[in-house]
């Protein structure tokens, strides 16, 4: 159980009931009775005082999937960087993403990007390396994930308009970037404009704690125009340079279980639930079983952003996955199961855990009501 009564706890700890209630009143509990219900935290605290550890049964609560805990060094190979664009409203995030998407050789090879799946791959014009861009960082699910401290991005490109400089959302982004520890590149945008002042942007960023390379720091700054395409290749190459310094690696080996995130999900007429998955580890193939939250998929087919069927999806590749039982939630983690049985067990465990959590919340409320009644 996630709760216990005072009398039960006194039996368990072999402490006299009067002694226990005395301690509880010290802690602020009033109107105690034999059947007074203690929440997990209080019971645990008291048990601890008497040298006991309370086991609320969490250890044998059932099977749950875990990420790979140790991937052998020799399986780790370089992978594309995962990049998010941030910046103040109207500073040109969408314009830059659109430019990158359209100019992408990867898209060109397959006849253009035909569908919006929340992320896309670009092959850089000079070094011919892949970059994965996320274009849904503003989604509520991502904000939720950010709060939980989960970071799926390696590099943030902070866009600052050269005719407007550092604005409130720029500062907000800087705060987030510093807190999450992701690497940063500055794109000073709108440099095609006559009234643009990139040098002011650089100075303002320095004043806001960014160690810009222009002043001898480490943060690369690129003067671009999302509209004309000015220096966009330089921006891409600076992302590659940074990703090489970061030494980003993952395993696409069969021995490594698939890990990833849900980027987006939606019901499509006649197809059922579809979700864009960004692979973090392992390789995903048709027939594989993946679990996310309280649903799972037996992968029926996968497509890239150009609508092309993908047989094997490797780390940092965004793909649309078909075969979900239910709609998974954007921002949730994806883990591979050995078989459907394991997937179902995992979901059962997670459902149970959630029920218990809700139950213990109910108990807290019950106790509060009792105290309030007085
Ligand atoms: P977002 O809110 O950050 O996504 O900004 P948008 O990409 O929607 O751009 C806001 C406005 O600025 C639009 O009218 C764009 O056409 C314009 N804009 C974006 N980038 C540039 C640029 O490099 N040069 C110029 N002159 N205008 C730009
Ligand atoms: Mg926009």
């Amino acid at each position: 159980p996630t709760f216990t009564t005072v009398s039960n706890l006194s039996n368990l700890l072999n402490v006299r009931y009067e002694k226990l209630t005395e301690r509880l009143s010290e802690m602020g509990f009033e109107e105690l009775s034999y059947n007074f219900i203690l929440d997990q935290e209080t019971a645990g605290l008291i048990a601890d005082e008497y040298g006991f550890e309370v086991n609320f049964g969490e250890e044998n609560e059932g099977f749950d999937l875990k990420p790979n805990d140790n991937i052998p060094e020799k399986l780790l190979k370089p992978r594309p960087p995962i990049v998010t664009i941030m910046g103040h409203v109207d500073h040109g995030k969408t314009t830059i993403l659109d430019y990158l998407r359209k100019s992408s050789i990867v898209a060109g090879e397959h006849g253009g990007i035909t569908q919006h799946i929340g992320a896309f791959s670009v092959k850089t014009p000079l070094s011919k390396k892949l970059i994965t861009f996320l274009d849904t960082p503003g989604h509520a699910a991502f904000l939720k994930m950010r709060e939980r401290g989960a970071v799926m991005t390696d590099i943030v490109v902070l866009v600052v308009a050269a005719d407007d400089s550092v604005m409130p959302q720029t500062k907000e982004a800087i705060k987030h970037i510093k807190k999450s520890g992701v690497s940063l590149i500055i794109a000073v945008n709108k440099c095609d404009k006559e009234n643009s002042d990139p040098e002011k942007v650089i100075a303002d960023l320095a004043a806001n704690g960014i160690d810009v390379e222009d002043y001898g720091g480490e943060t690369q700054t690129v003067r671009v125009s999302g509209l004309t395409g000015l220096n966009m290749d330089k921006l891409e190459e600076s992302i590659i340079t940074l990703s090489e310094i970061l030494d980003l690696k993952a395993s696409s080996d069969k021995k490594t279980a698939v890990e990833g995130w849900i980027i987006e999900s939606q019901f499509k007429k006649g197809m059922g639930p579809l979700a864009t998955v960004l692979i973090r580890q392992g390789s995903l193939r048709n027939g594989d079983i993946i679990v996310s939250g309280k649903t799972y998929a037996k992968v029926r087919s996968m497509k890239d952003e150009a609508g092309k069927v993908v047989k094997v999806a490797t780390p940092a590749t965004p793909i649309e996955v078909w075969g979900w039982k239910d709609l998974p939630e954007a921002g949730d983690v994806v883990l591979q199961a050995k078989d459907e049985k394991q997937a179902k067990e995992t979901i059962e465990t997670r459902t149970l855990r959630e029920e218990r959590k809700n139950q213990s919340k109910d108990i807290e409320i019950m106790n509060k009501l009792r105290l309030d009644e007085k």
Side-chain angles (χ1 to χ4, degrees):
T2 52
F3 60 90
T4 185
T5 60
V6 175
S7 65
N8 187 35
L9 188 64
S10 95
N11 282 334
L12 284 172
L13 299 179
N14 198 18
V15 176
R16 271 178 46 230
Y17 171 74
E18 288 76 15
K19 202 139 190 218
L20 202 58
T21 49
E22 203 177 290
R23 180 71 191 99
L24 283 163
S25 1
E26 276 171 25
M27 289 169 79
F29 288 91
E30 294 169 28
E31 291 280 291
L32 291 161
S33 70
Y34 278 93
N35 293 323
F36 189 86
I37 293 165
L38 296 169
D39 61 45
Q40 185 169 327
E41 205 185 332
T42 312
L45 212 75
I46 290 172
D48 189 55
E49 285 181 12
Y50 287 97
F52 285 89
E53 201 180 305
V54 182
N55 181 357
F56 287 92
E58 265 159 22
E59 272 154 37
N60 50 15
E61 70 171 357
F63 177 82
D64 198 353
L65 288 166
K66 298 250 158 30
N68 298 288
D69 59 4
N70 198 7
I71 300 170
E73 188 71 34
K74 66 174 197 295
L75 297 183
L76 297 174
K77 302 273 148 61
R79 62 156 175 88
I82 301 165
V83 181
T84 306
I85 312 255
M86 294 179 85
H88 193 74
V89 66
D90 283 345
H91 278 200
K93 299 178 291 295
T94 303
T95 306
I96 287 176
L97 278 168
D98 283 350
Y99 183 90
L100 291 165
R101 200 188 272 120
K102 279 188 203 126
S103 67
S104 165
I105 293 172
V106 170
E109 280 167 359
H110 308 148
I113 292 173
T114 57
Q115 45 183 10
H116 180 95
I117 64 170
F120 61 94
S121 295
V122 163
K123 198 185 269 178
T124 60
L126 304 172
S127 58
K128 311 285 180 213
K129 298 231 162 95
L130 287 171
I131 303 173
T132 305
F133 286 98
L134 297 181
D135 64 359
T136 51
H139 276 191
F142 281 82
L143 300 177
K144 200 173 79 190
M145 205 173 54
R146 240 181 241 174
E147 274 164 27
R148 279 190 251 140
V151 183
M152 67 168 79
T153 312
D154 305 305
I155 296 169
V156 167
V157 171
L158 181 60
V159 176
V160 190
D163 60 347
D164 205 23
S165 198
V166 173
M167 294 306 270
Q169 283 166 282
T170 319
K171 289 184 187 168
E172 200 52 45
I174 291 172
K175 231 196 284 171
H176 162 69
I177 290 157
K178 292 219 158 135
K179 209 168 112 196
S180 61
V182 292
S183 298
L184 175 65
I185 291 175
I186 305 290
V188 183
N189 193 34
K190 307 199 185 186
C191 285
D192 60 293
K193 283 183 103 171
E194 244 174 61
N195 62 338
S196 75
D197 189 354
E199 302 323 309
K200 179 179 179 339
V201 174
I202 301 296
D204 287 351
L205 285 167
N208 278 278
I210 305 292
D211 60 339
V212 287
E213 61 181 355
D214 312 62
Y215 298 169
E218 288 189 345
T219 305
Q220 301 181 81
T221 61
V222 193
R223 287 135 175 91
V224 302
S225 166
L227 207 63
T228 67
L230 170 77
N231 287 338
M232 291 298 277
D233 54 344
K234 283 206 181 120
L235 177 62
E236 291 178 52
E237 293 308 330
S238 61
I239 291 169
I240 295 299
T241 305
L242 182 52
S243 78
E244 277 161 6
I245 293 167
L246 294 173
D247 197 24
L248 305 170
K249 284 179 173 169
S251 164
S252 54
D253 194 272
K254 271 189 174 165
K255 285 192 282 284
T256 307
V258 171
E259 294 171 26
W261 296 279
I262 303 289
I263 302 293
E264 264 185 8
S265 65
Q266 62 174 120
F267 269 103
K268 260 198 192 153
K269 240 189 167 166
M271 297 199 81
L274 290 177
T276 302
V277 175
L278 182 59
I279 310 278
R280 183 173 120 117
Q281 294 289 352
S283 299
L284 190 61
R285 292 172 172 79
N286 286 350
D288 285 352
I289 312 286
I290 46 175
V291 179
S292 183
K294 284 177 288 178
T295 185
Y296 76 97
K298 182 171 185 183
V299 180
R300 287 177 74 170
S301 73
M302 300 184 282
K303 282 181 180 175
D304 66 11
E305 69 267 20
K308 188 174 163 263
V309 171
V310 175
K311 286 260 154 60
V312 186
T314 51
T317 326
I319 26 103
E320 200 172 37
V321 174
W322 181 30
W324 295 92
K325 304 292 166 195
D326 254 312
L327 203 61
E329 255 180 63
D332 271 358
V333 166
V334 172
L335 294 170
Q336 184 172 16
K338 274 204 300 239
D339 47 31
E340 290 196 66
K341 184 170 163 279
Q342 210 178 49
K344 285 175 185 163
E345 272 172 22
T346 297
I347 291 162
E348 197 175 307
T349 301
R350 291 177 182 182
T351 309
L352 210 72
R353 191 186 300 146
E354 196 172 272
E355 275 168 13
R356 279 181 184 166
K357 223 167 111 193
N358 290 340
Q359 199 182 25
S360 70
K361 250 188 228 139
D362 288 347
I363 288 150
E364 270 170 41
I365 293 165
M366 241 164 70
N367 273 337
K368 186 167 184 319
L369 284 176
R370 284 178 192 209
L371 294 173
D372 290 349
E373 265 170 26
K374 248 199 74 202

